Every structure is written in structure tokens, then in C-alpha cells.
Amino acid sequence: MAREKVGALVILLFSLAYGLLATEIPLSFLSQQEVFTARTLPYALAVAGVLLSVTIIGLPTVDPAGKKSLSEATGGMDWSTAIMLVVLMFIFGLIMKWLGFILSSIFFLLGGFTILGERRIKRMFFSAVFLVMTLWFILSGLLGVYIAPGELFYQLGVL
């Protein structure tokens, strides 16, 4: 099986599982009748992942004969960077509740930039802050999604 087919199969399984888990997201009584809820974006991402992965599986492979084995196809990849990014995502999930969306996302982006080799501190910082604040504004300001500031701020008495 070609490398892109294996990757598409993994993304298909992940998208299906993600879509099934999205059904368990609790909705308040008032939000159950709204068009855009906490489940809308996870459903859209799951459907997009399923459609793209099925498309990739259905398209012909680059190597029609399929002569390369999986170990040959993935031999030159930088697995340490991928593993560090996955660990960073796990840490991001752990600190999100305590630091809140804004701070944890900024730290996540700064860590990701560092892992990927960026060394210009000012560019990293301003890019991370700009991206996070833009996403926060879109979610909070335009879509009206409440994003909790984090337990740390409640415990310090800031909020």
C-alpha cells in the first residue's frame, strides 16, 4: 500500500472517531435549537477529514505498481520533530484549562515555532500573539462563543 493511502486511511479512522466523539459534546438547553453550536465545528472538521481521506484513497497512486514498502516510503522523515509536536499538543491540552485559551495558545505556538526551527524571537512572539488574538476575536467577538479565561485567573482573583 502506498504511503499516501496509509496516511489517508489513518486520517479517515481519526476523522470517524472524532465525529463520533463530537456527538458527546454537551449542549445547554438554550443552545440546542441554535444553528451554530459547540458541535458544529467538530462535525464540519470530521466530515471534511472523511471526504478528503476517501478522495485520496480513491485517487490513483503516484506509484501505480505500489513497489515501495511502507518502511521505504517513510524512511527519510523527521520523526523526532513530529513526536515533539505531538507531545507539545498533549501539553497544550493539559494546560488549556488552567492558563486559558489565549496564554496556552501563545505558548503552544511559541513552542511549535521553536521545534520547527524558527529562531527570531520578535517574529515568533508577534506572530503568535497576532494569530491567537485574531482567532479569539473571531470566536468571541464575531461568533459569540464564550471562552473561559482559565482557572489560574480565577484563583489569583483577577476575574
Side-chain angles (χ1 to χ4, degrees), residues 17-81:
Y18 187 67
L20 288 174
L21 289 175
T23 62
E24 297 178 11
I25 296 174
L27 296 176
S28 68
F29 176 73
L30 297 175
S31 69
Q32 290 179 357
Q33 300 302 320
E34 292 181 6
V35 176
F36 190 83
T37 64
R39 294 179 184 168
T40 306
L41 189 59
Y43 284 158
L45 290 173
V47 168
V50 167
L51 290 176
L52 288 173
S53 60
V54 167
T55 302
I56 292 171
I57 291 171
L59 290 174
T61 60
V62 176
D63 183 16
K67 295 177 184 171
K68 284 188 175 181
S69 68
L70 183 62
S71 62
E72 290 173 351
T74 59
M77 295 185 177
D78 187 11
W79 291 105
S80 61
T81 301

Side-chain angles (χ1 to χ4, degrees), residues 92 95-109 131-140 146-151 153:
F92 173 71
I95 67 171
M96 173 78 92
K97 180 180 179 183
W98 292 98
L99 294 181
F101 172 77
I102 294 174
L103 287 179
S104 59
S105 296
I106 289 172
F107 289 141
F108 172 74
L109 286 175
L131 288 170
V132 169
M133 295 309 290
T134 302
L135 184 59
W136 175 81
F137 174 73
I138 290 170
L139 290 172
S140 295
Y146 174 72
I147 300 175
E151 292 292 324
F153 295 103

Side-chain angles (χ1 to χ4, degrees), residues 7-18 46 49-51 53-54 57:
L9 185 62
V10 169
I11 291 176
L12 175 65
L13 294 175
F14 177 80
S15 296
L16 289 172
Y18 187 67
V50 167
L51 290 176
S53 60
V54 167
I57 291 171

Side-chain angles (χ1 to χ4, degrees), residues 149-150 153-154 156-159:
F153 295 103
Y154 290 123
L156 292 176
V158 176
L159 300 172

